[in-house]
Amino acid sequence: MQVCFQIQRQSSGSAPQLEQFLIEVDPRITILECLNHIKWEQDGSLAFRKNCRNTICGSCAIRINGRADLACKQTLQNELDLMAHAQRLTGTTATEKSLSECPKIEISPLQNFPVIKDLVVEMKSFWENLEQVDPFVSTASRAITDRESLQTPAARAKLNQVGNCILCGACYSECNAKAVSSDFVGPHALAKAYRVLADSRTEDAQERLQKMSADLSGVWGCTRCFNCNSACPMDVAPLDQITRIKTMALANPVNPELRAVRHREVMIDLVAESGWIDERQFGLRVLGNHFRDVKGLMGLIPLGLRMLWRRKFPFTFHPSEGTPVFQSLIRALRRQK
Ligand code: SF4
Ligand code: SF4
Ligand code: FES
C-alpha cells in the first residue's frame, strides 16, 4: 500500500521543516522499517536512532502522529487502526476508504529534548536527571559477601514492572511537568527511584525517600497528567510508581510545610469537615498556610479580586448532606494508616 510520511526535519539550531515521503510498503512492517525504507531508497541523509529493532534498547523512540512511541514496536497497520479509531471518535470527515488509499503518518522527534538532527535528540539532561536519583542499590549492599544477596520471589516480584524500563525517553518527552520545570527529574528517574526504594536489598530507603519528596524536583513536581503512563511502551506506569513514593512520603512527610504536601492534607481536612471542598478556605489554607505564608497569601489577592469582579466568589457555603458518611470513611482510612 502507499503511505505518505510527513517527517519533521531539523539540524541543531535551525527551524524545523516538514518533508513528505511517499512509500509503497506492506502494512505489516514497523514504522522503523518504513523509516529505513525512506533512508535507503529515497534520502540517505534522514537521521534517526535504532539498534535492536526488537523493543529492547529504547533507542528508536520518536513521536508518531503526535505521541511518543518506539518505532520498532508499532506496525504501520496498528498505526492505521489507531488513526481510523481516532477519526471515528472525533467524527472527522476523512473516510476509512480515503485513509486506506493514502494515509499520512506524521513523524517528529521526542519533545523536551534539544534536536541534534532530524529525529535524533540530545539526551544529556535525561541521563543527568537519572543520576540525580542514584539509580542503584547502595554500595554497602553491593559489597561482595561470602554469599549472594538473595531475595524471595515475592520481594523480586515487586520490581518486575519497574524493571521493564528500557530508558527510551518516551515518558520524558510527554511529561508536562518536565516541559515547564527543568528542575523536575522526570518520570523515568522517579520510576527508577521507586525501583530502588522497593528493593529489599536497599539499606538507605529513608534517605532516598527524603530526597525524592523534599521539594518540587522530586515527586511533588509531578502534575499527575498521566501522559507518562500512556506513553510508556513497556508498561512501567511511571505515575503509579510516583504515587507509591508519594504514599510512603505522606506517611511521614519530610517537609510538611511544602505547598504540595499541604495541598493534600488540606483537601482531606476540608472533606472531613464538610463533605466537600470549600474553595475559599482551600486557597487560604494551602497558599496562605494559616497566614504563615505571606507571599502565598499575597499571590491570592489578584485571583480573589478577579473572582469578586466576575461575581464568582462564593460568599456562602453549605456542607454536604453526606458529611457524616465522608467523616466516617476518612476516620476509617486514617485508622488504617
Ligand atoms: S504524570 Fe507526572 S511524571 Fe507523568 S508525565 Fe505527567 S507530570 Fe510527568
Ligand atoms: S518508564 Fe517507560 S517510557 Fe519512560 S524511559 Fe522507561 S520504558 Fe521508556
Ligand atoms: S531499535 Fe531498540 S527499541 Fe527500537
Side-chain angles (χ1 to χ4, degrees):
M1 71 179 296
Q2 276 202 327
V3 191
C4 176
F5 271 72
Q6 192 168 62
I7 302 181
Q8 185 177 310
R9 303 199 63 181
Q10 184 177 0
S11 295
S12 182
S14 67
Q17 335 174 352
L18 294 177
E19 196 168 335
Q20 300 214 19
F21 298 92
L22 194 63
I23 55 173
E24 181 89 38
V25 284
D26 182 329
R28 290 171 299 181
I29 69 171
T30 64
I31 298 292
L32 179 61
E33 288 171 300
C34 294
L35 292 177
N36 280 337
H37 189 93
I38 293 169
K39 188 173 177 74
W40 295 336
E41 306 287 331
Q42 298 190 27
D43 187 343
S45 71
L46 180 65
F48 53 93
R49 286 197 178 108
K50 63 179 174 179
N51 192 350
C52 69
R53 298 175 299 154
N54 202 22
T55 70
I56 295 170
C57 72
S59 58
C60 67
I62 51 170
R63 296 191 95 224
I64 306 168
N65 283 330
R67 45 158 234 294
D69 209 338
L70 294 177
C72 72
K73 184 176 187 199
Q74 187 71 334
T75 64
L76 187 53
Q77 187 60 57
N78 281 348
E79 196 55 38
L80 298 176
D81 292 345
L82 280 178
M83 289 162 69
H85 184 62
Q87 286 188 348
R88 278 195 296 274
L89 285 180
T90 55
T92 44
T93 49
T95 61
E96 288 195 36
K97 183 167 179 296
S98 67
L99 192 64
S100 63
E101 278 169 1
C102 191
K104 189 182 281 179
I105 310 264
E106 292 175 11
I107 302 287
S108 52
L110 294 180
Q111 303 178 125
N112 292 337
F113 295 96
V115 174
I116 298 174
K117 186 171 188 304
D118 297 339
L119 306 175
V120 178
V121 292
E122 166 61 78
M123 296 185 77
K124 189 165 176 267
S125 61
F126 180 83
W127 302 118
E128 286 172 350
N129 285 153
L130 184 66
E131 282 291 312
Q132 279 176 261
V133 303
D134 298 330
F136 40 75
V137 290
S138 69
T139 318
S141 304
R142 287 186 298 145
I144 296 172
T145 59
D146 53 356
R147 53 168 295 181
E148 287 172 276
S149 186
L150 296 176
Q151 290 185 294
T152 63
R156 179 62 186 80
K158 283 188 188 169
L159 312 178
N160 286 349
Q161 187 181 25
V162 271
N164 283 340
C165 176
I166 55 172
L167 295 169
C168 65
C171 57
Y172 196 89
S173 160
E174 308 305 291
C175 177
N176 283 321
K178 192 68 218 176
V180 295
S181 167
S182 57
D183 288 344
F184 182 56
V185 294
H188 69 308
L190 292 171
K192 192 67 81 179
Y194 178 75
R195 187 248 174 266
V196 183
L197 271 177
D199 194 309
S200 59
R201 299 162 298 180
T202 296
E203 293 171 346
D204 55 352
Q206 201 50 39
E207 291 86 335
R208 286 171 178 277
L209 193 55
Q210 289 187 358
K211 190 173 166 195
M212 283 305 96
S213 61
D215 57 32
L216 297 181
S217 68
V219 288
W220 302 122
C222 164
T223 61
R224 293 183 58 77
C225 70
F226 278 83
N227 280 357
C228 53
N229 276 15
S230 311
C232 179
M234 305 308 290
D235 200 22
V236 170
L239 175 58
D240 294 11
Q241 318 315 328
I242 292 169
T243 305
R244 289 184 177 125
I245 301 178
K246 281 180 179 171
T247 307
M248 291 170 168
L250 277 176
N252 185 14
V254 185
N255 182 0
E257 297 301 302
L258 194 68
R259 201 175 280 173
V261 176
R262 284 208 308 276
H263 184 276
R264 281 150 186 85
E265 297 295 344
V266 169
M267 194 183 293
I268 297 167
D269 288 347
L270 286 175
V271 174
E273 283 165 25
S274 58
W276 47 41
I277 295 166
D278 180 349
E279 294 287 351
R280 302 164 309 169
Q281 290 202 46
F282 191 57
L284 281 174
R285 288 206 212 170
V286 175
L287 294 178
N289 194 13
H290 298 281
F291 300 96
R292 287 198 288 275
D293 184 345
V294 178
K295 200 170 158 206
L297 209 53
M298 301 293 277
L300 271 179
I301 293 175
L303 175 66
L305 289 176
R306 275 203 308 278
M307 288 173 74
L308 275 173
W309 176 253
R310 291 173 197 266
R311 297 187 189 174
K312 292 204 167 169
F313 191 88
F315 287 101
T316 54
F317 175 79
H318 302 290
S320 158
E321 286 176 9
T323 300
V325 178
F326 285 115
Q327 288 174 338
S328 79
L329 283 170
I330 289 173
R331 271 198 306 275
L333 286 170
R334 280 183 168 154
R335 274 199 301 274
Q336 283 184 13
K337 269 188 178 181

